Amino acid sequence: MHKCGPVDDEPPGPVSEISSDPTNRPGGKRVIRLWKLRTWPLRIRLVSAVALLGIALCVAVSAGTLVALRTYLIQQLDAQVVEAQSRSNMFYELGKLPFIRFSGPGPMFLDGPGQSSGTVGAVRSGDTVTESAVITPSGNRQALSATAAAQLTQVPTGQTVSVDLEGVGAYRITAATVAGKDVVILSGLPLSGVEATLSSVAWIIGGFSLVALLGTVAAGMVIIRHELVPLSRMSRAAQSVARMPLDRGEVRLPTPIEPVEPSTAHTEVGRLGTAFNMMVDRVAEGLTARHATEMRVRQFVADASHELRTPLASIQGYTEFAQRLLNDIDEQVDAGRRRDLSSAMARVRAESLRMSQLVEDMLLLARLDTGRPIQSEDVDLTDLVIDAVRDAHIAGPDHRWGLDIPGEPVTITGDRSRLHQALANLLSNARVHTPAGTKIVASLMRNDDDSVAMSVTDHGPGIPHDLLPNVFERFVRGDDSRSRASGSTGLGLAITQSVIKAHNGTIDVTSGPFGTAFTMNLPGTVLLGATAPGEPAKPAMSGETVE
């Protein structure tokens, strides 16, 4: 509909409102202000631009054609005027005409052969026109009015000019002096033929231009509509995506939004479609990552809740049991009651320590996830590996422990306590998930690119194939049960991975039926042969076994 009057504090004028998708405008309306071209749809603006350019082209071509044609026709008419003037001079100089003189006003040379209808003739002596007449369509002569005769006195000699003679119309008139006499002969032909020709040509050009313009606009609309089809599809797809619930749950975006052919990828629409598809792909990847993170957080909360609930329940039960024993205890209590009380308090302490360790592990993971900086110091990885294997041997004396390290100390910059914890987690994981007597080897080596590789290899039964991709996830264990027989919290490998990432390193795992190998690659400058002054280098320990 069209309105008149101020709208949104704009100057008064027509406003066209078109119902559109609510996402286009908060009020659910798309407002097109006719005086603001930027509010017009692109299709209308392009068609309007084509129409305006077509009109300008038609006007320019038509005007140029008519000007050129008028100049050409006037040149032809001037040549005819010069011929008429030459005949008039000749007939006037003869004095006695060799032809019949018809009665009527005006000079006699108008009755000469070759003088056409509409010819004006006059004789001027000084500043006075003595004779003047025009040949009528019937062939007779008709005298000019006094005003027209006065206009002829203003015609300069030797020139052809346009004069609008009163009573007869526009003429091209020329004046020439008769030889040996103070007499000027004037002759002229009407411009009506030129004007009629120009008018006809203008109508013809205008008609063909209008037809051509309408055809151009129609073809432009079809072409523009066809070329803007990808933009329309992208617009509809964007509106569809905007209406999707992107704030929750798993979201599947339609990708690609607009298929782009390789042959059109370099065009403006092709580049826009490619960029739009890349943007939607990135949004889809972000939404997928967000959903995966949400699911991991939910699983983490559920697992953490269960992990904390179990020791808390144990503490609560044993505390109540101990309380009942304390209520019954006296100096005469037997030794059995004392043993029960001591055992209950020991279990309370054990569960408290396990819960504290779980909380510490969760806190460490949270700190590493937030990107908190780690300590930076020189770490002798050779001593670190030896200390970690020694601790593992004490914790698992039934396993066979091996070392494979270079004879020179390998020093890097990092956080010693975190690196020790990462290696200890791998050793503990190998001990827990392999039977007694299994050989476990911790090795250290320098790579060709100056990075350092620490690995833990066992000869146990290996990791199940379906569990291998998720071994670094939090609360993932070798079995689906929540048994605490091994004392594992399911966070060891996740902590190890986070520690290595904090050192800008990587960790890989390979496993098969004959063993498992975890390899930690730490980048940075590796300092070799860095021994204390006066202290001999440590001997090579490759293949050493600790029983």
Side-chain angles (χ1 to χ4, degrees):
M1 62 181 175
H2 295 279
K3 296 180 180 180
C4 290
V7 178
D8 297 336
D9 297 330
E10 297 285 349
V15 176
S16 175
E17 293 187 357
I18 302 176
S19 177
S20 180
D21 190 88
T23 59
N24 291 340
R25 189 173 172 85
K29 296 281 188 178
R30 183 178 59 191
V31 178
I32 300 177
R33 294 180 173 87
L34 299 181
W35 66 87
K36 287 188 176 181
L37 296 181
R38 61 182 179 84
T39 64
W40 296 10
L42 179 60
R43 182 182 292 108
I44 296 178
R45 279 187 285 170
L46 292 177
V47 172
S48 300
V50 171
L52 290 176
L53 290 176
I55 292 174
L57 179 62
C58 290
V59 169
V61 172
S62 301
T65 301
L66 292 176
V67 169
L69 181 61
R70 188 177 188 277
T71 301
Y72 174 75
L73 293 177
I74 288 180
Q75 289 177 351
Q76 283 191 325
L77 182 62
D78 288 349
Q80 295 174 3
V81 169
V82 171
E83 291 178 1
Q85 192 273 338
S86 178
R87 286 194 300 270
S88 299
N89 276 11
M90 181 185 65
F91 293 149
Y92 183 84
E93 290 176 353
L94 288 176
K96 184 178 180 180
L97 297 178
F99 48 82
I100 300 175
R101 172 72 185 270
F102 295 97
S103 61
M108 64 177 181
F109 56 76
L110 290 178
D111 290 334
Q115 303 287 32
S116 61
S117 173
T119 301
V120 165
V123 178
R124 187 176 69 193
S125 178
D127 293 334
T128 304
V129 174
T130 58
E131 296 179 289
S132 62
V134 60
I135 301 176
T136 63
S138 61
N140 297 324
R141 297 189 304 276
Q142 178 182 338
L144 297 178
S145 65
T147 303
Q151 290 175 310
L152 292 176
T153 61
Q154 306 299 321
V155 177
T157 303
Q159 298 183 17
T160 302
V161 296
S162 297
V163 180
D164 190 6
L165 297 175
E166 183 188 34
V168 291
Y171 271 75
R172 293 289 289 179
I173 297 177
T174 186
T177 303
V178 178
K181 298 180 180 180
D182 188 18
V183 176
V184 177
I185 302 299
L186 296 94
S187 298
L189 292 175
L191 283 168
S192 58
V194 174
E195 300 298 335
T197 301
L198 292 175
S199 178
S200 299
V201 172
W203 278 105
I204 293 173
I205 293 177
F208 279 107
S209 298
L210 179 61
V211 173
L213 180 62
L214 292 177
T216 301
V217 171
M221 292 178 64
V222 173
I223 294 173
I224 291 173
R225 181 182 294 273
H226 179 267
E227 293 298 324
L228 293 182
V229 166
L231 295 181
S232 299
R233 288 201 297 262
M234 282 188 280
S235 176
R236 290 193 296 269
Q239 293 175 4
S240 176
V241 171
R243 287 192 292 266
M244 297 178 67
L246 304 179
D247 59 332
R248 61 187 181 278
E250 185 176 6
V251 180
R252 294 186 179 275
L253 296 181
T255 55
I257 290 292
E258 174 59 28
V260 178
E261 298 181 0
S263 59
T264 61
H266 65 282
T267 63
E268 288 78 3
V269 175
R271 292 199 299 268
L272 177 61
T274 301
F276 194 66
N277 290 336
M278 292 178 60
M279 180 191 69
V280 174
D281 288 341
R282 294 295 300 274
V283 172
E285 292 174 0
L287 293 175
T288 301
R290 185 217 64 188
H291 180 69
T293 301
E294 288 181 352
M295 296 305 295
R296 285 196 297 268
V297 169
R298 292 177 182 176
Q299 185 65 36
F300 179 81
V301 171
D303 291 339
S305 300
H306 187 91
E307 295 289 345
L308 293 174
R309 183 178 60 183
T310 301
L312 286 174
S314 299
I315 291 173
Q316 181 180 2
Y318 283 106
T319 302
E320 293 176 355
F321 177 64
Q323 186 64 44
R324 287 197 301 269
L325 291 178
L326 289 174
N327 293 335
D328 296 337
I329 196 169
D330 53 24
E331 296 180 355
Q332 305 299 325
V333 69
D334 56 14
R337 290 290 184 90
R338 292 183 181 275
R339 287 194 302 271
D340 291 341
L341 179 58
S342 176
S343 175
M345 298 309 296
R347 292 297 302 271
V348 168
R349 182 177 182 275
E351 294 295 336
S352 299
L353 292 175
R354 189 161 65 86
M355 186 171 64
S356 298
Q357 183 61 43
L358 176 62
V359 172
E360 289 294 331
D361 290 346
M362 293 171 60
L363 181 59
L364 174 59
L365 281 173
R367 289 174 176 173
L368 293 174
D369 288 343
T370 56
R372 292 190 180 183
I374 58 176
Q375 293 184 4
S376 179
E377 57 184 347
D378 290 339
V379 180
D380 187 345
L381 295 181
T382 306
D383 282 341
L384 186 146
V385 173
I386 295 174
D387 291 343
V389 172
R390 182 181 296 112
D391 295 340
H393 173 65
I394 296 174
D398 295 335
H399 287 70
R400 295 186 299 137
W401 301 92
L403 285 172
D404 185 5
I405 57 178
E408 304 85 3
V410 177
T411 303
I412 65 169
T413 301
D415 189 326
R416 177 182 176 83
S417 62
R418 296 305 175 209
L419 291 174
H420 184 278
Q421 183 178 11
L423 181 60
N425 286 341
L426 294 181
L427 294 171
S428 174
N429 182 77
R431 174 179 57 82
V432 169
H433 295 92
T434 57
T438 303
K439 185 176 182 179
I440 303 173
V441 178
S443 60
L444 176 66
M445 65 175 295
R446 177 174 59 90
N447 298 321
D448 294 336
D449 58 353
D450 287 339
S451 62
V452 176
M454 287 193 301
S455 62
V456 174
T457 305
D458 66 67
H459 299 278
I463 301 174
H465 180 72
D466 57 342
L467 185 63
L468 191 61
N470 303 316
V471 291
F472 295 109
E473 296 292 335
R474 300 171 186 186
F475 296 109
V476 173
R477 299 184 183 86
D479 56 0
D480 295 333
S481 67
R482 296 184 181 271
S483 171
R484 296 297 174 269
S486 64
S488 172
T489 63
L491 297 177
L493 294 181
I495 292 175
T496 299
Q497 184 186 48
S498 297
V499 169
I500 298 304
K501 283 185 176 180
H503 285 78
N504 297 321
T506 60
I507 181 170
D508 302 313
V509 57
T510 58
S511 183
F514 302 104
T516 302
F518 286 89
T519 303
M520 299 177 289
N521 292 289
L522 298 170
T525 302
V526 181
L527 304 179
L528 298 177
T531 59
E535 180 181 338
K538 296 183 180 181
M541 301 180 68
S542 177
E544 179 178 344
T545 301
V546 181
E547 299 292 349

